Amino acid sequence: LLLANDLRKALDHEEFYLVYQPQIDLDKGQIIGVEALLRWNHPVLGHLSPAQFIPLAEETGLILPIGRWVLLTACRQIRELQQLSGVRLRLAVNLSAKQFRDVGLVSSIRELLADIGLETDLLELEITESTLMDNIDNATRTLHSLREMGLTLAIDDFGTGYSSLSYLHHFPLQRLKVDKTFVRRLSTHPEDSAITEAIIVMAHTMGIKVVAEGIENKQELEFLVSKNCDEAQGFYFSRPLTMSQLTEKIKDNE
Ligand code: G
Ligand code: G
Ligand code: MN
Ligand code: NA
């Protein structure tokens, strides 16, 4: 496979980079965190979304070194931004299924944070609903180890998988991210607004905060605010930004 060979070389050739999408606290109206999103500048195909190569990275096992690069680079860059601006931003990083199941995950994150000097409570890991539901006992153990280290944990793409809501309280989660497919249908599908509202109420009952993803307009925002959604992310607030764009935005906010 051509792309697999390219993927193998991409780390050495420094073809990956990260963009950061702001997450807004809806009470304060301020950026409280960012989600790191991986991009690949392929020498021939140009800029590729992870949706186009993460599945291949999982199949080939390359996701482990790539995921490690993402964590290291994102933590370093956010630490630098913090030193430069004095602003403490939470950093959310996506973990793929294979990374989450890697036995070395917990110790390697511990070492990485110590090396970089980023406070552990600033790192949030986003794990998809389907990854967590795949092996509930193992997932619960891993989440507890990560939580004991001081990290915060978010369930990503919530609503797209098969999780029984009753399983949620097994996991030590701080945040639940309502998938953007729900947000997209809020105004046209009454059942989706009802589900979204129910998810928010249920999460709050368990002490979990809710982030809505993919907010593209004011109507979506107003609905979510009226239902006490805690945080939001989406093009309405900001597209994913390069680190220099993010630095400018943070300065403007001061
Ligand atoms: O940014 P974009 O919408 O193109 O991302 C597409 C998908 O890729 C999303 O589901 C997102 O969670 C995932 N993704 C983005 N960055 C990373 C990453 O660093 N690691 C993993 N495993 N997935 C990522
Ligand atoms: O699955 P995950 O939540 O990690 O993916 C986040 C993805 O959603 C990123 O690839 C990002 O580019 C994309 N995204 C962020 N905001 C919006 C938005 O407002 N609309 C759409 N369509 N996609 C968005
Ligand atoms: Mn995510
Ligand atoms: Na998501």
Side-chain angles (χ1 to χ4, degrees):
L1 239 161
L2 205 69
L3 209 56
N5 279 326
D6 294 350
L7 198 55
R8 218 159 268 129
K9 293 183 231 152
L11 266 182
D12 283 342
H13 294 184
E14 301 183 17
E15 289 164 8
F16 291 118
Y17 64 99
L18 295 175
V19 288
Y20 297 90
Q21 189 174 37
Q23 299 180 319
I24 283 66
D25 179 318
L26 293 176
D27 270 343
K28 302 192 182 104
Q30 276 175 351
I31 301 176
I32 52 158
V34 290
E35 176 178 6
L37 296 163
L38 179 61
R39 298 290 181 262
W40 180 12
N41 186 8
H42 186 280
V44 177
L45 302 173
H47 299 264
L48 301 178
S49 151
Q52 297 167 276
F53 62 85
I54 291 281
L56 185 63
E58 281 263 314
E59 278 167 41
T60 54
L62 289 167
I63 193 64
L64 292 180
I66 294 171
R68 193 178 157 69
W69 179 89
V70 170
L71 269 167
L72 189 68
T73 306
C75 289
R76 258 193 206 136
Q77 291 194 327
I78 289 301
R79 174 78 178 126
E80 266 172 36
L81 177 66
Q82 188 186 32
Q83 287 172 321
L84 204 83
S85 66
V87 177
R88 277 182 103 249
L89 282 187
R90 186 180 72 216
L91 166 67
V93 175
N94 294 285
L95 280 197
S96 78
K98 203 168 252 172
Q99 268 183 293
F100 182 67
R101 287 192 217 108
D102 178 25
V103 290
L105 176 74
V106 176
S107 60
S108 77
I109 291 182
R110 184 179 289 116
E111 283 167 26
L112 184 150
L113 288 172
D115 281 353
I116 293 172
L118 186 75
E119 294 109 298
T120 50
D121 65 332
L122 287 184
L123 179 60
E124 177 153 293
L125 298 178
E126 294 193 6
I127 302 142
T128 65
E129 186 182 11
S130 51
T131 298
L132 292 182
M133 298 310 289
D134 191 45
N135 182 333
I136 291 170
D137 291 340
N138 282 340
T140 306
R141 266 195 295 277
T142 305
L143 290 177
H144 277 287
S145 307
L146 292 166
R147 185 64 192 133
E148 276 159 26
M149 211 198 299
L151 309 192
T152 57
L153 303 166
I155 185 166
D156 202 359
D157 299 348
F158 191 79
T160 59
Y162 301 97
S163 64
S164 156
L165 296 182
S166 63
Y167 277 110
L168 266 192
H169 74 270
H170 287 277
F171 303 135
L173 297 169
Q174 285 63 57
R175 244 169 299 278
L176 179 160
K177 299 190 76 180
V178 177
D179 194 71
K180 54 181 174 287
T181 55
F182 280 96
V183 174
R184 194 77 331 99
R185 291 154 58 101
L186 281 179
S187 59
T188 48
H189 295 67
E191 66 277 18
D192 284 306
S193 38
I195 292 169
T196 303
E197 184 175 0
I199 289 173
I200 294 171
V201 170
M202 173 210 62
H204 286 171
T205 307
M206 292 189 274
I208 298 172
K209 293 204 170 186
V210 179
V211 188
E213 294 188 317
I215 312 281
E216 291 185 357
N217 60 55
K218 201 170 175 202
Q219 292 86 310
E220 292 165 349
L221 174 63
E222 280 171 356
F223 174 84
L224 291 158
V225 167
S226 77
K227 300 304 177 195
N228 296 317
C229 184
D230 303 281
E231 298 175 14
Q233 185 180 340
F235 297 165
Y236 180 69
F237 296 102
S238 173
R239 294 202 162 248
L241 305 171
T242 63
M243 186 38 83
S244 70
Q245 291 170 325
L246 178 65
T247 306
E248 284 309 305
K249 199 171 185 79
I250 296 295
K251 276 195 209 144
D252 291 346
N253 268 15
E254 296 286 276

